[in-house]
Amino acid sequence: MSTAAPPLDAESAQSLARTLKAVADPSRLRLLSIVAASTDGAVCVCDLTDPVGLSQPTVSHHLRVLVEAGLLAREKRGSWAYFSLVPGAVGALTGALGEVAAAR
């Protein structure tokens, strides 16, 4: 079998699958895009419920999944949590997908 790039090893595939699962949910993808589009660099959880039309606990759950996937960072400011993109995380995800596509 000849490929342009080496196939993913088991650990890399597992990691990529976790990240893809995190962004496969439409609400999480919207939350990620809202945070990415923020001109302030960080968005308060209190400002994320209305745009996605979900309750605060549900938004917090989705944000936790994105944090655990390594896409968002969480910072506590007083009683509120603020979320920002992890530098390079989205680029790393698209790069990994590009490598998978190049292997075919």
Side-chain angles (χ1 to χ4, degrees):
M1 174 166 114
S2 175
T3 61
L8 291 172
D9 59 42
E11 186 178 323
S12 297
Q14 195 73 294
S15 176
L16 182 57
R18 275 192 301 273
T19 304
L20 290 173
K21 184 177 178 182
V23 297
D25 181 276
S27 296
R28 288 194 284 267
L29 196 52
R30 286 211 53 225
L31 288 166
L32 185 65
S33 71
I34 291 166
V35 173
S38 168
T39 57
D40 296 333
V43 180
C44 179
V45 67
C46 61
D47 294 325
L48 292 170
T49 55
D50 286 342
V52 292
L54 299 171
S55 68
Q56 190 274 328
T58 301
V59 168
S60 291
H61 164 74
H62 287 310
L63 291 168
R64 182 172 17 91
V65 170
L66 292 168
V67 168
E68 290 172 355
L71 296 167
L72 294 181
R74 181 182 184 274
E75 177 189 353
K76 188 87 164 156
R77 298 181 192 171
S79 61
W80 293 105
Y82 285 75
F83 294 85
S84 59
L85 282 179
V86 170
V90 174
L93 174 59
T94 57
L97 290 174
E99 288 178 23
V100 169
R104 54 175 224 115

